[in-house]
Amino acid sequence: MADSDNVDVVKSIAKAEKEIQKHGILKVNGIVEILEHLSQSESPIPVRIKGAVAMARIFLRLYSEGHMKTGPVRSRDVQISMIRGKKRKNTSSESKMHQKVKEWLDERYLECAEVLGAIYCSSGIDERLQTAAFHSALEMCKIDGERRGKLYEGTFQKLLIRLLCVASLPKALLDHFDSKFLRYIDVSKDTFKVLKAALSSSEALEKSISCSVTSSEHEDGHNENDKKSLSSNKTEILKNNFLGNATGLLLRMSDAKNQFRYQGGEKYLDDSKISSLDHSKKRRRISGIEQENGILEDMRDYAKALSQAWLALFKHRLPTSSYEQTLKCMKDTILPRIEQPILMFDFLKDSYDIGGFVSLLALEGLFILMQKHNLDYPDFFPKLYQLLTIKNLQSSACDRFFSLLPLFLKSFKLPAYMVAAFAKRLCRISLKAEVPICIFSLALVFNLLKRHPQCQELVHRVPKEEGILAVVRRKPFGPDPYQESNPDMATCKAIDSCLWEIKTLKNHYSPKVVALVRNFTDENAPKYEIDMEPYIKENFNSLYEEEANHRINHRVALRYNPPEKLFAGNSFMQDFQE
């Protein structure tokens, strides 16, 4: 289609919209023409964008004028006429023709919502067209919201679930939804309610997906068994897409920094002021709103709806990437926003019991519940002891683990057997691990012994059966009673062992390791705990830069006297050379 034809079609759409706004239901046949241009994939992008925007404006205008069966008239003209004493005709006395027109408009409304949903959920579509279709679809949801008195049912529910079932959710749509609609608090709360209802159970999720996503993807040419298999596989894929996108949406909304306001109210929340808001003819008052750094913190309804959505999401098995992302954001994004953080214990406990990388990610959330919310979890330190392995210290989450481990073991009230077990495990790891891990482990053991003097004897212990004779004769400690494979700290006999690994590390090739080992026995060693921050950030790059920048006090020989012969005298090769 040529550019001139595109301009003519856009002008015809604008003309049809203007006639409908001017003459009302007398010119509603123009809706069919606009829908035809909008639904055809061959239509140019500017034409389809113009059609999407025009359809939203047309239906909102017809609804406000009372030409659709979607609720009371709310237009300004009708309000003025009611003030002047003009009575509106009773709906029971409307003509059958007007009733049929209303039914026809409702059918076109649902058809338009379906077309718009198909556009913004399709892959390979221009972002401008997707954004325009998505915006128009959500604008049309106001009609359902006014009819039902709530937004989270009907068209909005179907459009949102359909959006979240997309395999790769376009970032432009998510940003537009966040900036234009989620800044209204009633839209945010209704979004949470939609997610809660859809995620209430596995059956509810499958039902919501089947009702919201069309079945046009079923292929012909298959028998019934093949169709059932394709349907079940497709449903499972859509469920995974929905769970992943719902996790991303909740994380974005939990970290929202927008100023919320009611979409239908005359007054909006301004900074930290308390406002009385009018919505759906009900007076609502929100009190106790505190705003810190642009983030709305203390809003009961919002926090409650957010908590319920998260708890409903955690009933399902999340995709691996979403699962790890949720655990990483637990401390800064999820726990500070929800109403009762202690309700996250089951999810964090199950994650902590999995082991490996996932357990490392769940550590911080559990510790926050124990520290700030009085959670009693006696298995925390035994499981932490089991996680202390070379594999976990070399994982991609080692930086987080290095920063958290000193914090977990900072308490002065830890029993001696527990401190001895952690110190022994760390020293044993130092023998096998890389230099950065060895340095971190030795520094942490040094702080543990300084914090718990009753464990200092582990460094200088001698065999019990020979006493002082062992020192005089310089005999070794003997068989180590420590049971490295025993996961129980109380019975692994670490308290009866000694830290012979420290003496072994005196011969380490790294000067930094040797310097740390001297702190355990040197009289000039630090008398207080050392700062762990430099050792947490230690890696091979920092070690190399430190050695490269190290100043050498003596001169280094750069050359020697050149040899006169290839082989020295009296060599068996001398005769061969001659």
Side-chain angles (χ1 to χ4, degrees):
M1 187 179 291
D3 293 340
S4 59
D5 296 337
N6 294 343
V7 174
D8 294 339
V9 175
V10 171
K11 288 183 178 179
S12 66
I13 292 175
K15 182 179 179 181
E17 179 187 355
K18 188 177 296 186
E19 288 180 351
I20 293 174
Q21 291 179 353
K22 183 177 181 180
H23 301 286
I25 59 174
L26 298 178
K27 297 291 184 177
V28 292
N29 287 333
I31 294 176
V32 179
E33 179 185 354
I34 300 175
L35 268 177
E36 184 178 355
H37 290 297
L38 180 62
S39 59
Q40 290 180 355
S41 58
E42 296 82 6
S43 299
I45 292 176
V47 173
R48 302 183 78 184
I49 292 176
K50 180 64 178 179
V53 176
M55 291 305 299
R57 288 200 293 249
I58 288 172
F59 280 113
L60 288 173
R61 180 61 179 263
L62 292 174
Y63 167 78
S64 65
E65 294 177 352
H67 299 309
M68 297 178 66
K69 297 170 59 177
T70 51
V73 178
R74 295 183 182 269
S75 65
R76 185 182 177 189
D77 295 338
V78 174
Q79 292 177 2
I80 295 175
S81 65
M82 291 179 66
I83 294 174
R84 293 176 179 176
K86 297 180 181 180
K87 296 184 180 179
R88 182 189 173 198
K89 293 183 180 180
N90 192 359
T91 55
S92 60
S93 62
E94 291 178 341
S95 63
K96 292 183 178 180
M97 186 62 67
H98 196 188
Q99 194 72 12
K100 289 183 178 180
V101 171
K102 285 187 174 184
E103 294 176 358
W104 183 84
L105 287 174
D106 285 341
E107 292 176 358
R108 301 289 77 75
Y109 166 80
L110 296 177
E111 181 183 354
C112 181
E114 183 68 25
V115 171
L116 293 174
I119 291 175
Y120 69 73
C121 290
S122 300
S123 58
I125 302 293
D126 187 80
E127 285 188 358
R128 296 172 299 168
L129 176 58
Q130 282 185 320
T131 305
F134 184 63
H135 185 90
S136 300
L138 291 183
E139 285 290 333
M140 289 170 57
C141 290
K142 292 180 181 178
I143 298 175
D144 253 5
E146 291 289 341
R147 179 203 304 173
R148 301 170 183 270
K150 48 192 175 183
L151 193 63
Y152 62 89
E153 291 183 357
T155 307
F156 179 76
Q157 181 183 22
K158 293 181 180 179
L159 291 175
L160 182 60
I161 293 177
R162 187 169 185 173
L163 174 69
L164 296 178
C165 289
V166 177
S168 56
L169 186 60
K171 187 177 182 298
L173 290 187
L174 201 56
D175 292 340
H176 187 81
F177 186 44
D178 188 10
S179 61
K180 298 296 183 181
F181 295 96
L182 291 182
R183 65 193 184 101
Y184 300 121
I185 191 171
D186 56 341
V187 178
S188 296
K189 288 161 60 177
D190 287 340
T191 300
F192 293 144
K193 292 178 181 179
V194 170
L195 295 176
K196 176 193 171 184
L199 295 168
S200 59
S201 64
S202 181
E203 293 77 11
L205 180 57
E206 293 180 2
K207 183 178 179 181
S208 300
I209 292 175
S210 61
C211 293
S212 302
V213 181
T214 58
S215 60
S216 59
E217 56 270 353
H218 290 297
E219 300 180 3
D220 296 332
H222 296 280
N223 55 33
E224 293 298 326
N225 294 330
D226 292 339
K227 288 184 178 181
K228 288 181 180 180
S229 177
L230 289 171
S231 178
S232 61
N233 294 336
K234 185 67 176 179
T235 303
E236 193 66 27
I237 293 174
L238 293 176
K239 283 176 62 177
N240 289 332
N241 295 342
F242 181 85
L243 292 172
N245 292 330
T247 303
L249 180 61
L250 284 176
L251 286 174
R252 178 184 283 254
M253 297 178 70
S254 299
D255 196 28
K257 298 181 180 179
N258 294 328
Q259 178 181 344
F260 300 105
R261 60 185 183 179
Y262 274 102
Q263 188 174 6
E266 298 177 356
K267 299 179 181 179
Y268 303 101
L269 293 177
D270 185 14
D271 295 331
S272 59
K273 298 179 181 179
I274 300 173
S275 304
S276 299
L277 306 175
D278 182 56
H279 181 63
S280 300
K281 295 185 177 182
K282 293 182 180 180
R283 201 71 173 172
R284 299 181 181 180
R285 183 176 294 275
I286 300 176
S287 60
I289 298 174
E290 299 176 357
Q291 196 171 16
E292 180 181 0
N293 298 328
I295 301 175
L296 203 58
E297 293 286 353
D298 187 17
M299 183 171 287
R300 291 183 179 178
D301 294 341
Y302 185 85
K304 184 177 180 180
L306 176 62
S307 303
Q308 292 174 349
W310 274 117
L311 291 174
L313 179 67
F314 290 152
K315 293 179 181 178
H316 301 268
R317 184 176 181 179
L318 302 180
T320 303
S321 58
S322 301
Y323 193 56
E324 294 177 357
Q325 186 182 11
T326 302
L327 291 174
K328 289 178 181 178
C329 300
M330 185 64 67
K331 175 192 172 184
D332 299 324
T333 304
I334 301 176
L335 291 180
R337 303 287 180 267
I338 61 177
E339 188 179 30
Q340 295 180 348
I342 199 69
L343 296 178
M344 296 294 168
F345 169 68
D346 291 335
F347 173 74
L348 291 172
K349 177 182 176 298
D350 294 339
S351 303
Y352 195 44
D353 292 340
I354 292 176
F357 180 73
V358 175
S359 296
L360 297 181
L361 296 178
L363 272 174
E364 194 169 11
L366 268 178
F367 188 74
I368 290 174
L369 294 182
M370 294 171 59
Q371 189 180 39
K372 297 183 179 180
H373 302 280
N374 300 324
L375 173 67
D376 184 17
Y377 185 48
D379 293 337
F380 179 80
F381 285 103
K383 292 185 179 296
L384 177 63
Y385 177 74
Q386 297 175 22
L387 288 176
L388 200 57
T389 61
I390 295 181
K391 183 179 179 181
N392 289 334
L393 290 176
Q394 293 176 342
S395 65
S396 57
C398 62
D399 294 340
R400 181 188 293 261
F401 194 31
F402 282 177
S403 61
L404 293 177
L405 192 57
L407 179 64
F408 298 154
L409 302 176
K410 195 174 183 179
S411 175
F412 288 89
K413 298 181 180 180
L414 295 178
Y417 76 89
M418 186 179 295
V419 176
F422 276 103
K424 187 66 178 178
R425 176 66 68 89
L426 287 168
C427 286
R428 190 63 63 87
I429 288 175
S430 301
L431 294 176
K432 312 171 187 176
E434 302 167 348
V435 175
I437 299 176
C438 181
I439 292 173
F440 168 80
S441 302
L442 290 175
L444 183 55
V445 170
F446 180 82
N447 285 349
L448 283 175
L449 297 181
K450 288 294 182 182
R451 200 176 298 130
H452 303 273
Q454 66 272 26
C455 295
Q456 286 281 358
E457 63 176 355
L458 294 175
V459 182
H460 310 285
R461 174 168 287 166
V462 295
K464 296 181 180 179
E465 61 273 10
E466 296 188 14
I468 194 64
L469 295 177
V471 180
V472 175
R473 299 173 182 174
R474 297 183 179 180
K475 288 187 176 181
F477 181 81
D480 193 348
Y482 173 64
Q483 301 172 4
E484 186 176 4
S485 59
N486 189 350
D488 188 1
M489 292 183 287
T491 61
C492 68
K493 298 183 179 181
I495 195 67
D496 298 327
S497 179
C498 76
L499 301 181
W500 57 266
E501 296 88 352
I502 293 177
K503 184 177 180 181
T504 305
L505 289 171
K506 285 184 177 180
N507 301 319
H508 200 277
Y509 69 90
S510 173
K512 205 161 188 178
V513 173
V514 176
L516 279 172
V517 169
R518 289 173 183 169
N519 290 337
F520 289 90
T521 56
D522 196 351
E523 294 180 357
N524 298 325
K527 296 182 179 180
Y528 303 100
E529 299 179 21
I530 58 179
D531 184 18
M532 290 295 300
E533 190 66 26
Y535 302 103
I536 292 174
K537 299 178 180 179
E538 201 77 75
N539 53 41
F540 281 111
N541 291 333
S542 61
L543 292 173
Y544 177 80
E545 292 177 0
E546 184 177 351
E547 288 295 327
N549 298 328
H550 182 64
R551 293 186 61 183
I552 301 176
N553 296 327
H554 59 276
R555 295 182 178 180
V556 179
L558 298 180
R559 61 182 179 179
Y560 299 91
N561 294 328
E564 297 177 356
K565 296 181 180 181
L566 179 61
F567 300 102
N570 301 326
S571 173
F572 72 94
M573 293 293 294
Q574 189 173 4
D575 296 337
F576 177 78
Q577 182 183 9
E578 292 176 354

